[in-house]
Amino acid sequence: MTVFSAFTDQQVITDLTQSVPDGLVVTDNDTLREYSFSSRMTDDDSGLALAVVRAHSVPDVQGTLAVARKYHIPVVTQNQFTSTVIGADGLAGSIILSTKDMNQIIEISKADSLAVVQPGVINGDLDAAARKQGMFYAPDPGSKKISGVGGNVATNAGGMSTVKYGATKDNVLGLKVVLADGRAIKVGGRTLKQAFGYDLTQLFIGSEGTLGVVTEITVKLLPIPLGQSAVGIAFFDDMTRLADAVAAIRISGVYPTMLEALDAPTIAALDQYEGTHYGDNSGSMLIFKVDNSTDAAMTVVNDLLAQHGANHVQVTSDAQEQAALEKLRQDMLPAIFEGQNHIMEDMAVPLSQLATLMDYVQEVGQRTGLKIYTAGHAGDGNVHPTIVWPENQDMPAAVPGALQDMFHKTLALGGTISGEHAVGMLKNQWNNAELGGDVDQLQHQIKALFDPMQILNPHRKIN
């Protein structure tokens, strides 16, 4: 039987163009490919979007959703497109709604300790603007220089400063959101305490564009700490001893800003990338930062490092030297990705189980023969095992099983298989395993309430 479409692509595009008053509707093939695929090297156009809307205003967002409802077309909201979990790639015939051009810092209020921004504002740009007024924006994902605040909200991004200042959800006061039915709502506000009604602000944070389109964000700002900061590195014989040291520092009362771990293969990759020789020292590296490095605080840190077998400890208060040490962590991914295909994972466990998970990842690598680099935000139990293989070869057959083993182990330790990178399409089939059947069902009921036509980023987050 022949099935005839009720409308043509050109009808949709014409309607879309008329419904977007301030933005742009783009349909050329090069742009569609650029926005549709996070892997720029793909030759597969099967998932090519129908159109890209570069929204400049709330009416642009509302108009796009109106067309999507009319024709029952999926809408994938996209910000700076830095997702690592296929969370914002185009779907075949979908509309990609890009908010990266909504990039104005609307307000910075030192008196109220907050900023109001549009979703396309780059995280690092917001922080830089706040620092000009003696404040700073605390969330510091590894993509700080390139990721948008809207994308950070969509994924509840974490990062290197989470150990002290929390993830994105801990730094958002309020949101403006356009719902699937076109209503523009405000949740949360400008106060540091809010107890009225259900907390819808937190519901939207981390929802990955499946419940609404965020158009404005009110975030907390903090005063730049007094005193002198310090950054240091320390080396350990193995990741287990490093994890034990991290746990001790974490509960010492020092409140470090950063506790980052790198294993021996990662250090070796950095040495090759940077021309350094840190791998000569030992089997793992800890990079740490303390905002207010009083003598008492640093004495505690040094004593705990010594008690747990640290060696070659280096600490500096010099700004340039601090930046150079922090750059080691920032360059970690380019170093291990260079010339290799990769899958980077994102598990988190209770701090008491960090060493156990570190050991298990090493065991998986030895058992399967896979090359696994392990690093991550050790201060909050967030580990990023990265499996690599030569870029001219197919993915090794052992990879899926290794990932499943690590996921099952993480859940058995009371952890989560998505600490900060979101769920996207790579992990949405694990919802029942991590959340349980009853909560999995509730997740789908919430989705149906906010998006009954299932047009907002379908097949992502909860499948």
Side-chain angles (χ1 to χ4, degrees):
M1 181 178 67
T2 302
V3 177
F4 295 97
S5 174
F7 54 87
T8 66
D9 289 351
Q10 188 56 52
Q11 285 176 304
V12 177
I13 293 167
T14 299
D15 206 349
L16 196 58
T17 302
Q18 294 172 349
S19 301
V20 175
D22 304 308
L24 297 173
V25 177
V26 189
T27 60
D28 68 274
N29 197 65
D30 288 344
T31 300
L32 293 180
R33 286 181 57 81
E34 177 186 353
Y35 281 76
S36 291
F37 306 118
S38 53
S39 174
R40 301 293 193 266
M41 302 302 293
T42 183
D43 292 323
D44 181 11
D45 281 354
S46 61
L48 201 65
L50 174 66
V52 173
V53 175
R54 296 184 58 170
H56 287 205
S57 66
V58 170
D60 289 344
V61 174
Q62 292 173 309
T64 301
L65 294 179
V67 173
R69 291 194 305 274
K70 178 178 178 180
Y71 295 104
H72 294 208
I73 296 175
V75 174
V76 178
T77 304
Q78 194 178 97
N79 194 248
Q80 301 297 335
F81 205 18
T82 57
S83 171
T84 63
V85 293
I86 315 181
D89 284 38
L91 297 168
S94 65
I95 300 169
I96 293 176
L97 175 57
S98 173
T99 60
K100 71 177 183 180
D101 292 334
M102 298 174 68
N103 56 10
Q104 299 301 305
I105 297 176
I106 298 169
E107 177 187 2
I108 292 179
S109 172
K110 187 172 184 178
D112 288 335
S113 297
L114 61 80
V116 181
V117 302
Q118 292 182 315
V121 171
I122 300 296
N123 179 303
D125 292 345
L126 169 58
D127 184 46
R131 287 179 182 274
K132 292 178 181 178
Q133 298 194 32
M135 311 292 282
F136 74 106
Y137 180 57
D140 183 12
S143 56
K144 184 181 183 78
K145 295 180 180 179
I146 59 173
S147 65
V149 179
N152 294 167
V153 169
T155 59
N156 187 27
M160 293 184 283
S161 64
T162 305
V163 61
K164 182 172 183 177
Y165 296 114
T168 299
K169 70 182 179 64
D170 303 300
N171 292 274
V172 173
L173 298 174
L175 301 169
K176 288 186 179 179
V177 183
V178 176
L179 301 179
D181 63 10
R183 286 179 293 172
I185 66 170
K186 179 181 79 68
V187 294
R190 297 172 65 91
T191 58
L192 298 178
K193 292 182 178 179
Q194 302 168 22
F196 210 92
Y198 298 113
D199 193 347
L200 298 183
T201 306
Q202 291 296 313
L203 181 61
F204 283 108
I205 297 170
S207 63
E208 301 181 42
T210 61
L211 301 181
V213 180
V214 173
T215 59
E216 186 177 289
I217 306 145
T218 301
V219 299
K220 289 193 294 187
L221 299 180
L222 298 173
I224 295 175
L226 296 174
Q228 178 65 57
S229 64
V231 175
I233 56 175
F235 297 86
F236 297 82
D237 291 339
D238 52 49
M239 288 292 274
T240 301
R241 301 198 77 176
L242 181 150
D244 290 339
V246 164
I249 294 171
R250 184 73 169 80
I251 60 174
S252 67
V254 171
Y255 296 104
T257 311
M258 180 172 68
L259 289 167
E260 297 291 308
L262 292 74
D263 71 353
T266 306
I267 300 170
L270 268 175
D271 280 343
Q272 183 173 353
Y273 188 79
E274 303 277 1
T276 52
H277 299 279
Y278 291 113
D280 298 341
N281 292 327
S282 55
S284 62
M285 175 195 288
L286 174 67
I287 306 175
F288 59 92
K289 182 175 183 178
V290 178
D291 275 346
N292 191 351
S293 58
T294 63
D295 290 343
M298 297 314 297
T299 296
V300 169
V301 171
N302 285 319
D303 287 348
L304 290 173
L305 290 173
Q307 289 172 25
H308 289 86
N311 54 75
H312 297 94
V313 178
Q314 304 173 37
V315 182
T316 180
S317 296
D318 179 82
Q320 289 186 334
E321 293 175 357
Q322 288 186 54
L325 292 180
E326 291 183 57
K327 188 174 182 292
L328 293 174
R329 176 58 180 84
Q330 295 162 353
D331 286 348
M332 178 200 76
L333 295 182
I336 63 178
F337 290 172
E338 190 172 45
Q340 303 187 101
N341 287 316
H342 65 273
I343 294 178
M344 179 174 65
E345 273 311 330
D346 174 39
M347 298 97 76
V349 292
L351 290 175
S352 61
Q353 301 299 326
L354 180 61
T356 303
L357 182 58
M358 294 284 201
D359 285 344
Y360 186 76
V361 171
Q362 290 183 336
E363 177 189 321
V364 170
Q366 293 166 359
R367 171 165 46 84
T368 61
L370 294 170
K371 191 171 185 179
I372 305 178
Y373 296 91
T374 306
H377 314 302
D380 49 41
N382 190 190
V383 180
H384 296 313
T386 302
I387 303 174
V388 304
W389 63 95
E391 61 183 353
N392 60 348
Q393 296 181 12
D394 293 334
M395 183 178 72
V399 170
L403 292 174
Q404 289 186 6
D405 288 347
M406 288 190 284
F407 288 170
H408 283 302
K409 183 66 172 181
T410 299
L411 296 178
L413 294 173
T416 174
I417 63 171
S418 180
E420 61 179 7
H421 290 172
V423 175
M425 292 183 71
L426 294 186
K427 298 180 183 178
N428 54 18
Q429 71 273 26
W430 283 81
N431 277 284
N432 196 281
E434 172 154 339
L435 302 175
D438 291 340
V439 175
D440 190 11
Q441 183 178 3
L442 277 174
Q443 299 273 329
H444 285 81
Q445 289 171 338
I446 291 169
K447 168 69 171 172
L449 174 65
F450 281 86
D451 181 22
M453 294 179 68
Q454 303 288 308
I455 62 171
L456 295 178
N457 212 10
H459 313 303
R460 310 271 167 73
K461 183 69 175 177
I462 61 169
N463 196 19

